[in-house]
């Protein structure tokens, strides 16, 4: 119970319930879970190209011949990558920063995989880098920092640096979204014949 | 109580509570409320230019010399207009459609103020029309219909027809928004040096 309680989001009551459940498991089921937990630490590593979690390096996405290697989507965390994969609308590859800049919490550029991203850009073959950090304070700060850091190599190598669209979320009602969202929606408005007005 | 219960969102209990409150009001306060309700029906009309609710025609927004008359934001309802006004980031004028197209419910183009919008476009002096209908099924359908209806006059008069940005909402986390939102964010991504990639 002590070990379970140390997990995030699990309090005394849940730990108790989980512990009793574990006792009721068959030997096989219990061993399978134990094995899976051991495997996570033993076998899971970061892909040397995109820093996603993977069991073999490069990861299945980076080694998939169907994916467009010239289009790189930069996300904060592997869980963001997985959200895009679930959406299924992106056919390029990724780059996980493994965090966002937060100077007040001591998270500096060197703590993220910004160096490897610059090296990837430098090595050629990239047509576009889409910055898909979160649309919050730290994510936007990180996006602006990346844009500036990438400016030089992007110019030399002809790489387009883009940012995912901020705006009103699909399915929402204009009357009930925040002022910040409406300002984004107005500022980012796009012409029907392409490009910004 | 019967009259109060007829209002939307007010059940028996709330009607009872409101009725007792009205009894406790001073004569002055009660008359003020009665007067306000009478005034809404007597004095409130639609602005003949933008179809917002107003007491005098044209409405305060249409008659404000500080507003950019060449930039028209098309919304479904006055409440959407009020959301944009609260956001404070739009300095043009509006056009309220007074609904959205919903053929299955029998709401056809003639039920909306699309005719007057086309006339407004035709009369000149407009540089851009921003379509700001809701990012839902009916709103998108209405936006596409408007785009097509406006195409001819827009070409002749040099009017740019734009759509508010759909994407991830400010402050959200990528890992927790829907796939539809992520697809919008990716599709609508914008280059840092302007325009779409």
């Amino acid at each position: 119970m002590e070990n379970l309680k140390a997990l995030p989001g699990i309090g005394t009551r849940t730990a108790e319930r989980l512990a009793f459940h574990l006792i009721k498991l068959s030997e096989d089921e219990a061993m399978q879970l134990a094995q899976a937990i051991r495997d996570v630490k033993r076998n899971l590593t970061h892909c040397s190209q995109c820093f996603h979690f993977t069991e073999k390096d490069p990861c299945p996405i980076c080694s998939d011949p169907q994916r467009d290697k010239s289009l790189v989507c930069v996300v904060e965390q592997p869980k963001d990558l997985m959200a895009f994969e679930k959406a299924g609308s992106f056919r390029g590859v990724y780059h996980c920063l493994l965090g966002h800049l937060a100077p007040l919490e001591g998270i500096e550029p060197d703590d993220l995989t910004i160096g490897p991203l610059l090296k990837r850009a430098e090595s050629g073959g990239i047509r576009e880098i889409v910055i898909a950090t979160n649309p919050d304070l730290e994510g936007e700060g990180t996006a602006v920092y990346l844009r500036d850091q990438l400016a030089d190599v992007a110019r030399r190598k002809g790489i387009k640096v883009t940012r995912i669209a901020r705006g009103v979320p699909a399915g929402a009602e204009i009357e009930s979204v925040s002022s910040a969202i409406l300002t984004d929606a107005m500022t980012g408005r796009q012409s029907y014949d392409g490009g910004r007005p």
Side-chain angles (χ1 to χ4, degrees), chain A:
Chain A
M1 276 201 264
E2 287 306 308
N3 285 324
L4 290 167
K5 248 180 75 178
L7 296 172
I10 294 187
T12 310
R13 291 294 298 266
T14 313
E16 205 174 282
R17 210 176 329 129
L18 286 174
F20 281 118
H21 176 79
L22 290 175
I23 293 168
K24 274 194 285 184
L25 284 182
S26 73
E27 172 114 14
D28 265 12
E29 289 167 322
M31 285 307 128
Q32 215 165 52
L33 181 59
Q35 181 81 37
I37 292 173
R38 206 166 51 195
D39 285 355
V40 160
K41 285 312 289 179
R42 282 215 189 134
N43 304 340
L44 219 58
T45 174
H46 285 291
C47 170
S48 61
Q49 285 174 34
C50 75
F51 294 91
H52 186 27
F53 293 123
T54 184
E55 290 190 9
K56 61 182 173 99
D57 187 20
C59 74
I61 296 173
C62 285
S63 52
D64 182 347
Q66 303 287 320
R67 310 287 297 221
D68 179 356
K69 306 290 187 302
S70 72
L71 178 60
V72 178
C73 176
V74 180
V75 294
E76 293 183 20
Q77 298 283 5
K79 57 191 173 184
D80 301 321
L81 180 161
M82 287 159 76
F84 276 109
E85 284 300 285
K86 210 179 126 211
S89 48
F90 181 71
R91 296 306 299 162
V93 291
Y94 296 91
H95 190 93
C96 298
L97 294 172
L98 304 181
H100 53 228
L101 295 179
L104 293 178
E105 298 163 36
I107 308 174
E108 305 278 348
D110 283 350
D111 298 320
L112 309 179
T113 65
I114 294 178
L117 175 63
L118 292 173
K119 251 185 227 145
R120 259 179 105 172
E122 201 72 59
S123 70
I126 296 178
R127 173 174 54 86
E128 181 182 342
I129 296 175
V130 190
I131 303 179
T133 51
N134 279 331
D136 55 14
L137 199 66
E138 292 86 0
E140 286 300 333
T142 308
V144 167
Y145 181 83
L146 282 179
R147 181 198 63 189
D148 293 346
Q149 290 293 303
L150 285 166
D152 176 57
V153 62
R155 190 175 33 72
R156 282 186 287 108
K157 299 275 181 178
I159 302 169
K160 214 175 227 322
V161 181
T162 59
R163 177 85 175 107
I164 50 164
R166 287 172 63 142
V168 281
E173 287 187 313
I174 282 170
E175 55 172 307
S176 24
V177 301
S178 76
S179 291
I181 294 172
L182 287 184
T183 301
D184 275 351
M186 193 53 80
T187 311
R189 68 188 188 271
Q190 299 189 336
S191 171
Y192 272 115
D193 49 22
R196 279 168 145 154

